[in-house]
Amino acid sequence: MRFDILTIFPGALDGLFSVGVIGQARAAGAIEIECHDLRDYTDDPHRVVDDRPYGGGAGMVMKVEPFVRAIEAIRGRVGGHVRTVLLSPQGRLFRQADAARWAALDGLILLCGRYEGVDERVLAFVDEEVSIGDYVLTGGEVAAAAIVEATARMTPGVVGRFDSVESDSFYDAPRLGAPQYTRPPEFRGLTVPEVLLSGDHAKIEGWREREAWKKTAKNRPDLLGMRPEAGERDDG
Ligand code: SAH
């Protein structure tokens, strides 16, 4: 599985992609990540990637040509099943199921916008337009990093013990993970649930299952098709 990221700040994610699970997976060759400088796909001496918006208005819009040239160059080099994704707050919300679906691909090309966003015609050259949440970032790089992490950890050979992935939030149901504890058994009067110290695995599994659903109902009733309780709604 490889990730090709198109950005005007190709070094921005270097630190993040060289540590932890992702850094190890790259070193082991389980995944490849390449950040491409969008300016390498311009054809003018000033390597311009943005221009003023048609119709007027504040800020700059990213031009269509560099993105399309870059997509075509990468698609020409990377064989197999590749999908092209534009990061945008106007996209459909990215979910765990997308990460699982994309992890089966040979490659994912991620387009990062900046400024006021990208020329709408870029959409004619991408497979999906995806948002990581209902808020606006200054650029697509952080969103691309979130998608790389979520997708890479669903890729076989990336996370050592896949059963740890299977017990995570969202894995096989719209449900959050169970609460976790580690030593010490007591901290400032806060104790660890007795059942976790019991050594009774069946009982522990039952407790985790119940707690996971309880936490989901409390924090994310929307996942269960329930209405948030009064006072817990966004609108107060
Ligand atoms: N004017 C746009 C926002 C542009 S933000 C609008 O009103 O919708 C600049 C860039 O940041 C976008 O092109 C996109 O690539 C990235 N970005 C911002 N918020 C994002 C989000 N929630 N999810 C994914 N990408 C986002």
Side-chain angles (χ1 to χ4, degrees):
M1 170 88 203
R2 59 172 292 134
F3 299 89
D4 289 281
I5 301 173
L6 308 183
T7 164
I8 57 168
F9 297 118
L13 301 172
D14 285 353
L16 198 58
F17 288 154
S18 57
V19 300
V21 167
I22 301 293
Q24 283 163 18
R26 290 177 84 186
I31 56 167
E32 278 178 72
I33 305 176
E34 201 176 325
C35 295
H36 305 264
D37 188 346
L38 199 60
R39 294 189 196 280
D40 292 344
Y41 297 92
T42 54
D43 62 356
D44 67 296
H46 300 293
R47 304 182 8 119
V48 174
V49 292
D50 60 322
D51 206 337
R52 285 170 313 188
Y54 274 124
M60 300 297 269
V61 174
M62 293 190 78
K63 293 162 68 61
V64 60
E65 307 99 304
F67 277 118
V68 173
R69 279 197 206 102
I71 292 168
E72 287 174 351
I74 293 164
R75 278 194 169 266
R77 279 205 303 275
V78 180
H81 292 289
V82 176
R83 282 186 88 73
T84 304
V85 175
L86 172 67
L87 284 325
S88 157
Q90 300 168 19
R92 161 182 77 69
L93 275 186
F94 171 69
R95 296 192 184 285
Q96 188 65 36
D98 298 307
R101 180 165 56 91
W102 292 338
L105 295 171
D106 298 302
L108 199 58
I109 304 175
L110 298 167
L111 280 58
C112 303
R114 281 265 155 186
Y115 318 116
E116 296 303 313
V118 308
D119 187 309
E120 192 75 8
R121 289 169 293 183
V122 169
L123 283 175
F125 300 85
V126 308
D127 300 307
E128 304 185 44
E129 181 182 18
V130 166
S131 165
I132 63 159
D134 292 340
Y135 39 79
V136 177
L137 305 167
T138 59
E141 290 75 13
V142 163
I147 286 176
V148 168
E149 291 217 0
T151 305
R153 63 194 294 292
M154 300 297 286
T155 305
V158 170
V159 174
R161 285 191 54 179
F162 205 73
D163 57 347
S164 82
V165 170
E166 289 168 349
S167 64
D168 280 331
S169 300
F170 306 113
Y171 179 75
D172 58 359
R175 186 190 61 179
L176 307 179
Q180 311 259 33
Y181 296 85
T182 186
R183 290 188 292 179
E186 195 242 299
F187 176 72
R188 297 191 185 172
L190 300 170
T191 54
V192 174
E194 204 66 43
V195 57
L196 295 178
L197 312 173
S198 70
D200 182 336
H201 292 293
K203 240 167 104 183
I204 291 171
E205 268 324 297
W207 179 87
R208 286 190 168 144
E209 181 80 14
R210 278 192 308 280
E211 289 301 314
W213 287 114
K214 256 204 248 169
K215 187 144 192 189
T216 308
K218 178 172 183 288
N219 287 0
R220 294 293 308 277
D222 56 302
L223 292 175
L224 306 177
M226 290 157 53
R227 285 163 56 86
E229 281 177 35
E232 289 178 354
R233 280 198 296 261
D234 286 350
D235 58 10

